[in-house]
Amino acid sequence: MLFIACYAMSQTKVTGVVTDGRNPLVGVNVFIIGTIDGCLTDSLGRFSFQTSLTGEMTLKATFIGYEDYTLTTIQTTDLLITMHERAATIDEVVVTVSTYSFGKSDNFKTMDALDVVMAGNSCGDVVAALQTLPGTQKVGENGKLYVRGGESNECQTFINGMHVLVPYSTNVENNAVRGRFSPFLFKGINFSLGGYGGEYGQALSSVLPMETTDVSTGDKLGVSASLVDWNIGGTKAFTTSSLSFNADYTSMGLYDALFPNRLDWTRPYRKLSGEAQYKTELSSASVLKTYVGYDLTSVGQHVNDRSLSLSEHNIYANATLKNNIGRGYSLFTGIANSSVINDIDNALAHGDHYYNLRNEIHLKADVRKVYSSVLKMSVGVEDYLRHSTKRYDDSHYCLDYNLLAAYTDAQLRLVPQLFLNLSARAEHASHDGDWMLMPRATLSYVPNKHFQLSAMLGRYCQTAEDDYIVMSGKRLAQSTADHAILSMQYSNDNTLLRIEPYYKKYHHLPLLTRDVYSADGYGTSRGIDVFIENHSILKNLSATLSYSFNDSKRLYLDYMVLQTPDYASRHNLRLTLKYSIGKTIIGLAESYASGRKYPIGTTPYYNSVDANITWLVSPKVIVYSSLNNIFGRTNIFRYNADGTAITANRDRFFYIGIFVSLKNNKAYDISNF
């Protein structure tokens, strides 16, 4: 009893309260360093425990999301501890100015490869799936990406950081094309509508960077078949590497026989494609990725008094190496080659012949380093080596030039919750000899994981098409566009809301004057994009709504006055719904676009309601079917100069396909790569 009494007298009671300066914090771990004496705070932020220590002691408080608190004191009762939220490091904050991600972005799932395939109006095409996002224009006669009042060639595609010269398949005039690449090839697709950093050049309006999958850990083999295409592909995994292949044959012959259309085909649209990838981890700090893809496309059509015959060869290959070289530095090097050959008989008149070869070699290297929790930087150089040969009957040209560029990016945390990105890019075009300097800056306020507010200013440049450069006497300066964007985003577990007003001003656009192109064109584009995604209206229902308002004016090409470009519609609205019932997924999409202006008048509004049904037959079999333009509305895309209306070659398009995994342990994974 005497020993117990002495022990009790030697215990010291430690008490206090923990707050964030306004409210009590629950569950904070408060303890004395060097001992096991301590406890967690209660619902009122209070703590109370006993210790055998006497005199001066060091108290510590830890709580997730807050800076650790340390106090050395001789006072043991009625302590008041105020903790401060931990400032996110520069690597923990992802600023999403005008960027939409396929995959996971800020822990909010927007779309993955299977979602692309199952979208009501995409038929498995990445480009068509992107056109459900705000900021994109509906240009049905070619199906390409037109972003915020910009031309289709103002959007550039990159794979693993390397440029793709022609990312679309080819087709006859006034027929929609598709993207060349399967969505299952990529682990990440980030579509930026503007405001991108110094790494990306030669894109006036937007960029589409895509990252291929990493080294596979298991073998795969998959097949798919539909009314229009047949596919087989697979992957062989090794210890630290994997080899993948994919082969695809597309033919519209059977479909055209079952569902005739308005056009007179002499040869149905056919495309033979092959892809291969090799990925290897050379070491724990080094990863090599290689990719090669080839498309052969052919089609024939009766047009007036001629029989157009078109064929295209399109090959793309790249190799990239990422390496951690020590002391926090990472090195990226890459090389890519794009070659596109177009061969057309009876292109514009009976008996003529058109031939065009375009080639680009892209070289790139950059170094990155995270210097601290408040600063990371990158610096890089790249070179585009371009060649073009064109022959049309007796006229021809051969064009060679290169674009040398250097860029740097710095991302800083100015104070907690406030981030600044500064970048600059300098480019030299050999065909006109001029240097271009393009500064860019983004200021972002990120108070928590739910809200972001960003403001962006930047300049971008891009060379004109090869024909325009030749017709200018190889003196045509690069076009420029100044971007100003304000981005507001809110997200929680079930809802994403983004509102983005923007303004773009164009300079040095190509303008045709007396059969010679000069850089005297100009224009503006302004508008606002709204995007809403929700998963809480009904159980198992996902809904997205995107709306875009765009007001564009240009004086360029053969325009005589400043006017709205004929590809731009002022209002674009898309609504998509996806509802799951057991192993069946039903999708519905509504697309609307206001009329487009032409010298002879304005087209009627565009409207299409599309639906799809996906049946998960088994963990290795998926059946997908879709019907585009359910109500069969005849949409007029444009008017020719003679007043002829251009429409789709058919009002409805029906698609049904089956996807089978032959060697895969993962359920509902139809990826071959």
Side-chain angles (χ1 to χ4, degrees), residues 347-391:
L348 298 176
H350 179 73
D352 68 6
H353 181 74
Y354 173 90
Y355 173 86
N356 184 213
L357 163 65
R358 298 176 62 195
N359 178 259
E360 176 188 86
I361 298 174
H362 182 203
L363 307 171
K364 183 177 181 180
D366 68 35
V367 177
R368 302 167 186 260
K369 180 177 173 60
V370 179
Y371 287 93
S372 67
S373 63
V374 300
L375 173 64
K376 67 177 179 180
M377 292 189 66
S378 65
V379 61
V381 294
E382 62 182 350
D383 197 8
Y384 295 85
L385 306 171
R386 291 180 174 173
H387 168 81
S388 180
T389 297
K390 180 178 176 179
R391 293 194 297 269

mmCIF file of all heavy atoms in Angstrom, residues 347-391:
data_model
loop_
_atom_site.group_PDB
_atom_site.id
_atom_site.type_symbol
_atom_site.label_atom_id
_atom_site.label_comp_id
_atom_site.label_asym_id
_atom_site.label_seq_id
_atom_site.Cartn_x
_atom_site.Cartn_y
_atom_site.Cartn_z
ATOM 1 N N ALA A 347 -9.045 13.124 -108.825
ATOM 2 C CA ALA A 347 -9.247 13.878 -107.586
ATOM 3 C C ALA A 347 -10.223 15.029 -107.778
ATOM 4 O O ALA A 347 -11.184 15.181 -107.017
ATOM 5 C CB ALA A 347 -7.913 14.398 -107.068
ATOM 6 N N LEU A 348 -9.988 15.871 -108.778
ATOM 7 C CA LEU A 348 -10.848 17.022 -109.036
ATOM 8 C C LEU A 348 -11.509 16.957 -110.410
ATOM 9 O O LEU A 348 -12.558 17.565 -110.624
ATOM 10 C CB LEU A 348 -10.050 18.322 -108.914
ATOM 11 C CG LEU A 348 -9.438 18.609 -107.536
ATOM 12 C CD1 LEU A 348 -8.606 19.879 -107.584
ATOM 13 C CD2 LEU A 348 -10.518 18.723 -106.469
ATOM 14 N N ALA A 349 -10.889 16.252 -111.342
ATOM 15 C CA ALA A 349 -11.430 16.122 -112.692
ATOM 16 C C ALA A 349 -11.038 14.758 -113.244
ATOM 17 O O ALA A 349 -10.071 14.129 -112.780
ATOM 18 C CB ALA A 349 -10.910 17.243 -113.600
ATOM 19 N N HIS A 350 -11.785 14.301 -114.229
ATOM 20 C CA HIS A 350 -11.511 12.997 -114.823
ATOM 21 C C HIS A 350 -10.113 12.971 -115.447
ATOM 22 O O HIS A 350 -9.734 13.859 -116.209
ATOM 23 C CB HIS A 350 -12.563 12.671 -115.883
ATOM 24 C CG HIS A 350 -12.328 11.350 -116.548
ATOM 25 N ND1 HIS A 350 -12.550 10.139 -115.909
ATOM 26 C CD2 HIS A 350 -11.874 11.053 -117.799
ATOM 27 C CE1 HIS A 350 -12.245 9.154 -116.732
ATOM 28 N NE2 HIS A 350 -11.838 9.682 -117.894
ATOM 29 N N GLY A 351 -9.335 11.966 -115.075
ATOM 30 C CA GLY A 351 -8.015 11.777 -115.655
ATOM 31 C C GLY A 351 -6.878 12.429 -114.902
ATOM 32 O O GLY A 351 -5.713 12.223 -115.255
ATOM 33 N N ASP A 352 -7.145 13.220 -113.846
ATOM 34 C CA ASP A 352 -6.048 13.845 -113.107
ATOM 35 C C ASP A 352 -5.497 12.885 -112.057
ATOM 36 O O ASP A 352 -6.070 11.826 -111.789
ATOM 37 C CB ASP A 352 -6.481 15.169 -112.480
ATOM 38 C CG ASP A 352 -7.502 14.977 -111.345
ATOM 39 O OD1 ASP A 352 -7.793 13.824 -110.973
ATOM 40 O OD2 ASP A 352 -8.022 15.987 -110.832
ATOM 41 N N HIS A 353 -4.363 13.282 -111.469
ATOM 42 C CA HIS A 353 -3.731 12.444 -110.440
ATOM 43 C C HIS A 353 -3.105 13.350 -109.381
ATOM 44 O O HIS A 353 -2.406 14.317 -109.708
ATOM 45 C CB HIS A 353 -2.655 11.541 -111.042
ATOM 46 C CG HIS A 353 -1.996 10.652 -110.018
ATOM 47 N ND1 HIS A 353 -2.615 9.549 -109.476
ATOM 48 C CD2 HIS A 353 -0.772 10.718 -109.432
ATOM 49 C CE1 HIS A 353 -1.807 8.972 -108.603
ATOM 50 N NE2 HIS A 353 -0.679 9.662 -108.551
ATOM 51 N N TYR A 354 -3.360 13.019 -108.120
ATOM 52 C CA TYR A 354 -2.844 13.802 -106.988
ATOM 53 C C TYR A 354 -1.980 12.885 -106.129
ATOM 54 O O TYR A 354 -2.379 11.763 -105.780
ATOM 55 C CB TYR A 354 -4.011 14.352 -106.170
ATOM 56 C CG TYR A 354 -3.612 15.048 -104.886
ATOM 57 C CD1 TYR A 354 -3.351 16.411 -104.861
ATOM 58 C CD2 TYR A 354 -3.510 14.344 -103.686
ATOM 59 C CE1 TYR A 354 -2.995 17.053 -103.685
ATOM 60 C CE2 TYR A 354 -3.148 14.969 -102.505
ATOM 61 C CZ TYR A 354 -2.891 16.319 -102.508
ATOM 62 O OH TYR A 354 -2.538 16.938 -101.332
ATOM 63 N N TYR A 355 -0.789 13.378 -105.783
ATOM 64 C CA TYR A 355 0.124 12.626 -104.920
ATOM 65 C C TYR A 355 0.711 13.579 -103.885
ATOM 66 O O TYR A 355 1.153 14.684 -104.226
ATOM 67 C CB TYR A 355 1.252 11.999 -105.742
ATOM 68 C CG TYR A 355 2.336 11.349 -104.904
ATOM 69 C CD1 TYR A 355 2.220 10.032 -104.469
ATOM 70 C CD2 TYR A 355 3.490 12.061 -104.551
ATOM 71 C CE1 TYR A 355 3.215 9.440 -103.703
ATOM 72 C CE2 TYR A 355 4.485 11.478 -103.784
ATOM 73 C CZ TYR A 355 4.338 10.166 -103.360
ATOM 74 O OH TYR A 355 5.314 9.585 -102.598
ATOM 75 N N ASN A 356 0.701 13.164 -102.631
ATOM 76 C CA ASN A 356 1.266 14.000 -101.562
ATOM 77 C C ASN A 356 1.956 13.120 -100.528
ATOM 78 O O ASN A 356 1.351 12.179 -99.997
ATOM 79 C CB ASN A 356 0.168 14.830 -100.907
ATOM 80 C CG ASN A 356 0.708 15.801 -99.847
ATOM 81 O OD1 ASN A 356 0.049 16.084 -98.873
ATOM 82 N ND2 ASN A 356 1.914 16.320 -100.037
ATOM 83 N N LEU A 357 3.226 13.404 -100.281
ATOM 84 C CA LEU A 357 4.002 12.735 -99.236
ATOM 85 C C LEU A 357 4.355 13.755 -98.179
ATOM 86 O O LEU A 357 4.931 14.803 -98.491
ATOM 87 C CB LEU A 357 5.278 12.117 -99.805
ATOM 88 C CG LEU A 357 6.369 11.737 -98.783
ATOM 89 C CD1 LEU A 357 5.873 10.619 -97.868
ATOM 90 C CD2 LEU A 357 7.664 11.334 -99.473
ATOM 91 N N ARG A 358 3.996 13.468 -96.927
ATOM 92 C CA ARG A 358 4.374 14.327 -95.805
ATOM 93 C C ARG A 358 5.140 13.481 -94.801
ATOM 94 O O ARG A 358 4.740 12.348 -94.481
ATOM 95 C CB ARG A 358 3.135 14.923 -95.143
ATOM 96 C CG ARG A 358 2.315 15.823 -96.049
ATOM 97 C CD ARG A 358 1.063 16.284 -95.341
ATOM 98 N NE ARG A 358 1.377 17.081 -94.157
ATOM 99 C CZ ARG A 358 0.495 17.373 -93.205
ATOM 100 N NH1 ARG A 358 -0.738 16.896 -93.269
ATOM 101 N NH2 ARG A 358 0.854 18.116 -92.179
ATOM 102 N N ASN A 359 6.243 14.038 -94.310
ATOM 103 C CA ASN A 359 7.063 13.327 -93.335
ATOM 104 C C ASN A 359 7.515 14.290 -92.243
ATOM 105 O O ASN A 359 7.812 15.456 -92.519
ATOM 106 C CB ASN A 359 8.282 12.694 -94.003
ATOM 107 C CG ASN A 359 9.178 11.976 -93.005
ATOM 108 O OD1 ASN A 359 10.212 12.499 -92.602
ATOM 109 N ND2 ASN A 359 8.786 10.784 -92.577
ATOM 110 N N GLU A 360 7.547 13.797 -91.020
ATOM 111 C CA GLU A 360 8.026 14.602 -89.897
ATOM 112 C C GLU A 360 8.845 13.729 -88.961
ATOM 113 O O GLU A 360 8.435 12.615 -88.606
ATOM 114 C CB GLU A 360 6.852 15.202 -89.120
ATOM 115 C CG GLU A 360 7.287 15.981 -87.869
ATOM 116 C CD GLU A 360 6.103 16.407 -87.020
ATOM 117 O OE1 GLU A 360 5.651 15.597 -86.168
ATOM 118 O OE2 GLU A 360 5.631 17.536 -87.207
ATOM 119 N N ILE A 361 9.998 14.224 -88.568
ATOM 120 C CA ILE A 361 10.810 13.605 -87.521
ATOM 121 C C ILE A 361 10.809 14.550 -86.328
ATOM 122 O O ILE A 361 11.146 15.731 -86.464
ATOM 123 C CB ILE A 361 12.252 13.340 -87.992
ATOM 124 C CG1 ILE A 361 12.252 12.362 -89.174
ATOM 125 C CG2 ILE A 361 13.100 12.790 -86.846
ATOM 126 C CD1 ILE A 361 13.626 12.153 -89.788
ATOM 127 N N HIS A 362 10.407 14.052 -85.169
ATOM 128 C CA HIS A 362 10.318 14.868 -83.959
ATOM 129 C C HIS A 362 11.362 14.372 -82.959
ATOM 130 O O HIS A 362 11.365 13.188 -82.579
ATOM 131 C CB HIS A 362 8.908 14.751 -83.361
ATOM 132 C CG HIS A 362 8.695 15.588 -82.139
ATOM 133 N ND1 HIS A 362 7.731 15.318 -81.191
ATOM 134 C CD2 HIS A 362 9.336 16.714 -81.694
ATOM 135 C CE1 HIS A 362 7.781 16.223 -80.237
ATOM 136 N NE2 HIS A 362 8.750 17.082 -80.518
ATOM 137 N N LEU A 363 12.248 15.243 -82.541
ATOM 138 C CA LEU A 363 13.288 14.947 -81.556
ATOM 139 C C LEU A 363 13.026 15.783 -80.311
ATOM 140 O O LEU A 363 12.715 16.971 -80.416
ATOM 141 C CB LEU A 363 14.674 15.268 -82.113
ATOM 142 C CG LEU A 363 15.038 14.631 -83.458
ATOM 143 C CD1 LEU A 363 16.349 15.214 -83.974
ATOM 144 C CD2 LEU A 363 15.127 13.114 -83.331
ATOM 145 N N LYS A 364 13.197 15.173 -79.132
ATOM 146 C CA LYS A 364 12.852 15.900 -77.912
ATOM 147 C C LYS A 364 13.677 15.387 -76.739
ATOM 148 O O LYS A 364 13.954 14.187 -76.625
ATOM 149 C CB LYS A 364 11.357 15.708 -77.613
ATOM 150 C CG LYS A 364 10.833 16.457 -76.398
ATOM 151 C CD LYS A 364 9.335 16.233 -76.274
ATOM 152 C CE LYS A 364 8.730 16.953 -75.100
ATOM 153 N NZ LYS A 364 7.259 16.721 -75.010
ATOM 154 N N ALA A 365 14.048 16.322 -75.856
ATOM 155 C CA ALA A 365 14.743 15.964 -74.611
ATOM 156 C C ALA A 365 14.409 17.012 -73.562
ATOM 157 O O ALA A 365 14.375 18.212 -73.865
ATOM 158 C CB ALA A 365 16.255 15.889 -74.823
ATOM 159 N N ASP A 366 14.136 16.562 -72.339
ATOM 160 C CA ASP A 366 13.952 17.529 -71.252
ATOM 161 C C ASP A 366 14.411 16.937 -69.929
ATOM 162 O O ASP A 366 14.531 15.714 -69.771
ATOM 163 C CB ASP A 366 12.511 18.049 -71.172
ATOM 164 C CG ASP A 366 11.493 17.010 -70.748
ATOM 165 O OD1 ASP A 366 11.808 16.145 -69.917
ATOM 166 O OD2 ASP A 366 10.350 17.071 -71.236
ATOM 167 N N VAL A 367 14.703 17.842 -69.000
ATOM 168 C CA VAL A 367 15.157 17.475 -67.651
ATOM 169 C C VAL A 367 14.198 18.100 -66.653
ATOM 170 O O VAL A 367 13.817 19.270 -66.790
ATOM 171 C CB VAL A 367 16.593 17.972 -67.389
ATOM 172 C CG1 VAL A 367 17.023 17.641 -65.960
ATOM 173 C CG2 VAL A 367 17.556 17.362 -68.394
ATOM 174 N N ARG A 368 13.798 17.321 -65.640
ATOM 175 C CA ARG A 368 12.866 17.805 -64.624
ATOM 176 C C ARG A 368 13.454 17.561 -63.236
ATOM 177 O O ARG A 368 14.191 16.600 -63.032
ATOM 178 C CB ARG A 368 11.515 17.082 -64.733
ATOM 179 C CG ARG A 368 10.863 17.251 -66.099
ATOM 180 C CD ARG A 368 9.692 16.299 -66.313
ATOM 181 N NE ARG A 368 9.198 16.401 -67.680
ATOM 182 C CZ ARG A 368 8.131 17.100 -68.043
ATOM 183 N NH1 ARG A 368 7.436 17.730 -67.108
ATOM 184 N NH2 ARG A 368 7.747 17.158 -69.297
ATOM 185 N N LYS A 369 13.083 18.444 -62.293
ATOM 186 C CA LYS A 369 13.535 18.270 -60.917
ATOM 187 C C LYS A 369 12.558 18.946 -59.962
ATOM 188 O O LYS A 369 12.102 20.063 -60.215
ATOM 189 C CB LYS A 369 14.931 18.859 -60.695
ATOM 190 C CG LYS A 369 15.439 18.708 -59.259
ATOM 191 C CD LYS A 369 16.843 19.225 -59.099
ATOM 192 C CE LYS A 369 17.298 19.249 -57.641
ATOM 193 N NZ LYS A 369 17.284 17.916 -57.021
ATOM 194 N N VAL A 370 12.232 18.241 -58.877
ATOM 195 C CA VAL A 370 11.478 18.823 -57.774
ATOM 196 C C VAL A 370 12.499 19.330 -56.763
ATOM 197 O O VAL A 370 13.178 18.544 -56.109
ATOM 198 C CB VAL A 370 10.524 17.799 -57.131
ATOM 199 C CG1 VAL A 370 9.784 18.436 -55.967
ATOM 200 C CG2 VAL A 370 9.536 17.266 -58.159
ATOM 201 N N TYR A 371 12.627 20.644 -56.656
ATOM 202 C CA TYR A 371 13.656 21.230 -55.803
ATOM 203 C C TYR A 371 13.241 21.229 -54.332
ATOM 204 O O TYR A 371 14.088 21.119 -53.447
ATOM 205 C CB TYR A 371 13.973 22.655 -56.258
ATOM 206 C CG TYR A 371 14.764 22.691 -57.541
ATOM 207 C CD1 TYR A 371 14.130 22.800 -58.766
ATOM 208 C CD2 TYR A 371 16.154 22.607 -57.523
ATOM 209 C CE1 TYR A 371 14.855 22.832 -59.946
ATOM 210 C CE2 TYR A 371 16.893 22.641 -58.694
ATOM 211 C CZ TYR A 371 16.241 22.753 -59.903
ATOM 212 O OH TYR A 371 16.962 22.772 -61.071
ATOM 213 N N SER A 372 11.947 21.398 -54.084
ATOM 214 C CA SER A 372 11.454 21.425 -52.712
ATOM 215 C C SER A 372 9.950 21.248 -52.766
ATOM 216 O O SER A 372 9.373 21.032 -53.835
ATOM 217 C CB SER A 372 11.809 22.763 -52.044
ATOM 218 O OG SER A 372 11.103 23.830 -52.652
ATOM 219 N N SER A 373 9.315 21.366 -51.611
ATOM 220 C CA SER A 373 7.862 21.235 -51.569
ATOM 221 C C SER A 373 7.159 22.426 -52.198
ATOM 222 O O SER A 373 5.941 22.416 -52.373
ATOM 223 C CB SER A 373 7.394 21.081 -50.119
ATOM 224 O OG SER A 373 7.712 22.249 -49.365
ATOM 225 N N VAL A 374 7.919 23.471 -52.566
ATOM 226 C CA VAL A 374 7.305 24.669 -53.139
ATOM 227 C C VAL A 374 7.776 24.974 -54.558
ATOM 228 O O VAL A 374 7.297 25.919 -55.169
ATOM 229 C CB VAL A 374 7.573 25.902 -52.247
ATOM 230 C CG1 VAL A 374 7.007 25.696 -50.861
ATOM 231 C CG2 VAL A 374 9.066 26.219 -52.184
ATOM 232 N N LEU A 375 8.683 24.179 -55.137
ATOM 233 C CA LEU A 375 9.207 24.496 -56.455
ATOM 234 C C LEU A 375 9.597 23.237 -57.213
ATOM 235 O O LEU A 375 10.293 22.366 -56.692
ATOM 236 C CB LEU A 375 10.438 25.405 -56.350
ATOM 237 C CG LEU A 375 11.189 25.697 -57.657
ATOM 238 C CD1 LEU A 375 10.316 26.474 -58.630
ATOM 239 C CD2 LEU A 375 12.498 26.426 -57.375
ATOM 240 N N LYS A 376 9.113 23.146 -58.452
ATOM 241 C CA LYS A 376 9.634 22.149 -59.375
ATOM 242 C C LYS A 376 9.778 22.800 -60.744
ATOM 243 O O LYS A 376 9.023 23.704 -61.115
ATOM 244 C CB LYS A 376 8.749 20.906 -59.445
ATOM 245 C CG LYS A 376 7.375 21.091 -60.039
ATOM 246 C CD LYS A 376 6.650 19.744 -60.095
ATOM 247 C CE LYS A 376 5.251 19.869 -60.673
ATOM 248 N NZ LYS A 376 4.556 18.560 -60.724
ATOM 249 N N MET A 377 10.782 22.337 -61.504
ATOM 250 C CA MET A 377 11.104 22.977 -62.779
ATOM 251 C C MET A 377 11.407 21.930 -63.837
ATOM 252 O O MET A 377 11.764 20.785 -63.529
ATOM 253 C CB MET A 377 12.299 23.922 -62.630
ATOM 254 C CG MET A 377 12.045 25.158 -61.799
ATOM 255 S SD MET A 377 13.424 26.333 -61.891
ATOM 256 C CE MET A 377 13.335 26.832 -63.633
ATOM 257 N N SER A 378 11.261 22.343 -65.078
ATOM 258 C CA SER A 378 11.668 21.509 -66.204
ATOM 259 C C SER A 378 12.215 22.419 -67.295
ATOM 260 O O SER A 378 11.826 23.588 -67.420
ATOM 261 C CB SER A 378 10.499 20.688 -66.741
ATOM 262 O OG SER A 378 9.494 21.519 -67.287
ATOM 263 N N VAL A 379 13.130 21.880 -68.077
ATOM 264 C CA VAL A 379 13.692 22.610 -69.210
ATOM 265 C C VAL A 379 13.909 21.599 -70.325
ATOM 266 O O VAL A 379 14.299 20.454 -70.079
ATOM 267 C CB VAL A 379 15.001 23.328 -68.823
ATOM 268 C CG1 VAL A 379 16.055 22.339 -68.364
ATOM 269 C CG2 VAL A 379 15.516 24.164 -69.978
ATOM 270 N N GLY A 380 13.603 22.004 -71.553
ATOM 271 C CA GLY A 380 13.708 21.053 -72.648
ATOM 272 C C GLY A 380 13.980 21.717 -73.982
ATOM 273 O O GLY A 380 13.831 22.935 -74.147
ATOM 274 N N VAL A 381 14.380 20.886 -74.941
ATOM 275 C CA VAL A 381 14.585 21.326 -76.327
ATOM 276 C C VAL A 381 13.936 20.289 -77.240
ATOM 277 O O VAL A 381 13.824 19.111 -76.894
ATOM 278 C CB VAL A 381 16.084 21.469 -76.681
ATOM 279 C CG1 VAL A 381 16.719 22.588 -75.889
ATOM 280 C CG2 VAL A 381 16.825 20.163 -76.450
ATOM 281 N N GLU A 382 13.499 20.741 -78.410
ATOM 282 C CA GLU A 382 12.944 19.817 -79.396
ATOM 283 C C GLU A 382 13.104 20.387 -80.789
ATOM 284 O O GLU A 382 13.310 21.595 -80.969
ATOM 285 C CB GLU A 382 11.476 19.508 -79.107
ATOM 286 C CG GLU A 382 10.534 20.683 -79.149
ATOM 287 C CD GLU A 382 9.105 20.280 -78.810
ATOM 288 O OE1 GLU A 382 8.818 19.078 -78.735
ATOM 289 O OE2 GLU A 382 8.263 21.185 -78.628
ATOM 290 N N ASP A 383 13.010 19.498 -81.771
ATOM 291 C CA ASP A 383 13.168 19.900 -83.162
ATOM 292 C C ASP A 383 12.189 19.107 -84.012
ATOM 293 O O ASP A 383 12.039 17.887 -83.843
ATOM 294 C CB ASP A 383 14.607 19.643 -83.634
ATOM 295 C CG ASP A 383 14.940 20.409 -84.912
ATOM 296 O OD1 ASP A 383 14.118 21.246 -85.327
ATOM 297 O OD2 ASP A 383 16.013 20.155 -85.483
ATOM 298 N N TYR A 384 11.473 19.815 -84.905
ATOM 299 C CA TYR A 384 10.600 19.191 -85.883
ATOM 300 C C TYR A 384 11.268 19.312 -87.254
ATOM 301 O O TYR A 384 11.490 20.433 -87.740
ATOM 302 C CB TYR A 384 9.238 19.881 -85.938
ATOM 303 C CG TYR A 384 8.396 19.778 -84.687
ATOM 304 C CD1 TYR A 384 8.564 20.679 -83.643
ATOM 305 C CD2 TYR A 384 7.411 18.806 -84.575
ATOM 306 C CE1 TYR A 384 7.769 20.606 -82.504
ATOM 307 C CE2 TYR A 384 6.608 18.722 -83.444
ATOM 308 C CZ TYR A 384 6.791 19.625 -82.412
ATOM 309 O OH TYR A 384 6.008 19.549 -81.296
ATOM 310 N N LEU A 385 11.591 18.183 -87.887
ATOM 311 C CA LEU A 385 12.172 18.174 -89.227
ATOM 312 C C LEU A 385 11.079 17.734 -90.194
ATOM 313 O O LEU A 385 10.622 16.581 -90.135
ATOM 314 C CB LEU A 385 13.366 17.218 -89.292
ATOM 315 C CG LEU A 385 14.462 17.454 -88.253
ATOM 316 C CD1 LEU A 385 15.466 16.319 -88.267
ATOM 317 C CD2 LEU A 385 15.155 18.778 -88.488
ATOM 318 N N ARG A 386 10.647 18.630 -91.078
ATOM 319 C CA ARG A 386 9.492 18.352 -91.918
ATOM 320 C C ARG A 386 9.847 18.375 -93.404
ATOM 321 O O ARG A 386 10.656 19.183 -93.851
ATOM 322 C CB ARG A 386 8.379 19.363 -91.637
ATOM 323 C CG ARG A 386 7.755 19.180 -90.268
ATOM 324 C CD ARG A 386 6.651 20.175 -90.001
ATOM 325 N NE ARG A 386 5.986 19.877 -88.731
ATOM 326 C CZ ARG A 386 5.062 20.666 -88.175
ATOM 327 N NH1 ARG A 386 4.687 21.780 -88.789
ATOM 328 N NH2 ARG A 386 4.509 20.328 -87.029
ATOM 329 N N HIS A 387 9.175 17.469 -94.128
ATOM 330 C CA HIS A 387 9.343 17.390 -95.579
ATOM 331 C C HIS A 387 7.980 17.151 -96.213
ATOM 332 O O HIS A 387 7.153 16.396 -95.681
ATOM 333 C CB HIS A 387 10.289 16.253 -95.965
ATOM 334 C CG HIS A 387 10.272 15.942 -97.435
ATOM 335 N ND1 HIS A 387 10.976 16.680 -98.353
ATOM 336 C CD2 HIS A 387 9.594 14.987 -98.147
ATOM 337 C CE1 HIS A 387 10.759 16.190 -99.564
ATOM 338 N NE2 HIS A 387 9.919 15.167 -99.465
ATOM 339 N N SER A 388 7.751 17.775 -97.363
ATOM 340 C CA SER A 388 6.501 17.574 -98.087
ATOM 341 C C SER A 388 6.774 17.603 -99.584
ATOM 342 O O SER A 388 7.470 18.504 -100.075
ATOM 343 C CB SER A 388 5.486 18.667 -97.719
ATOM 344 O OG SER A 388 4.268 18.475 -98.419
ATOM 345 N N THR A 389 6.247 16.591 -100.275
ATOM 346 C CA THR A 389 6.314 16.539 -101.731
ATOM 347 C C THR A 389 4.893 16.435 -102.269
ATOM 348 O O THR A 389 4.117 15.588 -101.809
ATOM 349 C CB THR A 389 7.131 15.333 -102.221
ATOM 350 O OG1 THR A 389 8.480 15.456 -101.780
ATOM 351 C CG2 THR A 389 7.110 15.246 -103.747
ATOM 352 N N LYS A 390 4.555 17.281 -103.220
ATOM 353 C CA LYS A 390 3.215 17.270 -103.784
ATOM 354 C C LYS A 390 3.295 17.346 -105.301
ATOM 355 O O LYS A 390 4.034 18.162 -105.856
ATOM 356 C CB LYS A 390 2.402 18.452 -103.243
ATOM 357 C CG LYS A 390 0.981 18.518 -103.794
ATOM 358 C CD LYS A 390 0.223 19.690 -103.184
ATOM 359 C CE LYS A 390 -1.161 19.837 -103.800
ATOM 360 N NZ LYS A 390 -1.916 20.960 -103.198
ATOM 361 N N ARG A 391 2.522 16.466 -105.951
ATOM 362 C CA ARG A 391 2.423 16.486 -107.406
ATOM 363 C C ARG A 391 0.950 16.434 -107.790
ATOM 364 O O ARG A 391 0.202 15.584 -107.304
ATOM 365 C CB ARG A 391 3.156 15.295 -108.022
ATOM 366 C CG ARG A 391 4.656 15.322 -107.852
ATOM 367 C CD ARG A 391 5.338 14.303 -108.757
ATOM 368 N NE ARG A 391 4.951 12.937 -108.430
ATOM 369 C CZ ARG A 391 5.609 12.162 -107.572
ATOM 370 N NH1 ARG A 391 6.690 12.630 -106.954
ATOM 371 N NH2 ARG A 391 5.194 10.938 -107.317
#
